[in-house]
Amino acid sequence: ALLVVALFRKVLPVNPTTAALCFLMLVVLTASRWRLAYSVYLSVLCTLLYNFFFLPPVGRLTITDPNNWVALAAFLACSVLVSHLSEREHQHAEKAERGRREVERLYEFSQQLLLQEDLRSAARTTPSVVATVFGFRAVALYVRDDEGAHYSDPRNELLPLVDLKLAANQGETGVSLRDGFRVIPLVLGM
């Protein structure tokens, strides 16, 4: 902002409208790159600089003049609007990135499962694959037909077989917490 003042006062004299548009551009750029607090601060600073160096009487701060209040309102409105739009765009980009990573993980998971030759070997390796692909500390898979459990780490049984069997037979479809573990019933076929 000070560079704009120096440029327009000493090197390239311009009218107040041109200076106001340059200050506004600074506010919009700041709002699009950084948080709202920075753009509001710059809005107030630009209003003061615009008032002091470009609005008559030049060299005095006359905040009572309606032109100054209009300039401040315009700078603040632009900073709030652009900050809001920028934040929304950042959230949208983060959501898209999370979705992309999720699809990548699901693809990798499906590729690993397709390498299995039979259903029994798939049941044995699935917990390890899930733990590796999705970054879980440990995974347990209870297969109701076999009445057996498979673990990503055979030395760490997470939940006893009785608890896994109980969770499978309760018929809950939602995620539940038991002893600090997430239990997710999976239903395949009918």
Side-chain angles (χ1 to χ4, degrees):
L2 292 174
L3 184 62
V4 169
V5 169
L7 177 69
F8 289 160
R9 294 289 298 160
K10 304 290 183 190
V11 179
L12 186 67
V14 295
N15 62 18
T17 304
T18 305
L21 289 174
C22 287
F23 283 134
L24 186 61
M25 201 166 67
L26 279 175
V27 170
V28 167
L29 283 172
T30 302
S32 68
R33 296 278 183 198
W34 295 288
R35 293 189 324 234
L36 179 63
Y38 294 112
S39 60
V40 168
Y41 170 76
L42 187 64
S43 296
V44 172
L45 178 66
C46 286
T47 301
L48 294 173
L49 292 174
Y50 181 62
N51 179 285
F52 190 81
F53 289 106
F54 295 100
L55 289 179
V58 174
R60 288 187 39 202
L61 284 175
T62 52
I63 299 296
T64 56
D65 188 5
N67 289 338
N68 300 336
W69 290 111
V70 169
L72 177 61
F75 292 151
L76 287 176
C78 282
S79 67
V80 168
L81 177 66
V82 172
S83 289
H84 174 70
L85 292 174
S86 177
E87 180 63 28
R88 207 166 75 186
E89 182 60 33
H90 286 271
Q91 288 173 352
H92 180 69
E94 287 174 6
K95 184 178 177 182
E97 180 61 23
R98 279 192 309 269
R100 185 194 63 77
R101 282 194 309 267
E102 186 176 312
V103 167
E104 250 179 25
R105 287 179 179 164
L106 289 171
Y107 177 75
E108 184 180 346
F109 177 63
S110 67
Q111 291 297 310
Q112 293 293 326
L113 287 182
L114 287 174
L115 295 176
Q116 305 307 314
E117 293 180 16
D118 62 3
L119 191 56
R120 294 207 187 282
S121 65
R124 278 193 311 274
T125 59
T126 295
S128 298
V129 171
V130 169
T132 302
V133 170
F134 294 100
F136 297 139
R137 281 183 289 155
V139 175
L141 175 66
Y142 173 77
V143 180
R144 192 183 321 188
D145 293 344
D146 297 343
E147 291 195 13
H150 305 281
Y151 300 94
S152 60
D153 180 3
R155 294 167 294 163
N156 181 5
E157 291 193 354
L158 299 174
L159 291 173
L161 184 62
V162 174
D163 289 346
L164 293 171
K165 186 176 182 177
L166 179 68
N169 291 328
Q170 283 183 344
E172 297 175 12
T173 57
V175 177
S176 62
L177 289 175
R178 290 207 177 109
D179 301 324
F181 298 103
R182 295 182 198 273
V183 178
I184 308 169
L186 302 174
V187 179
L188 302 175
M190 297 302 287

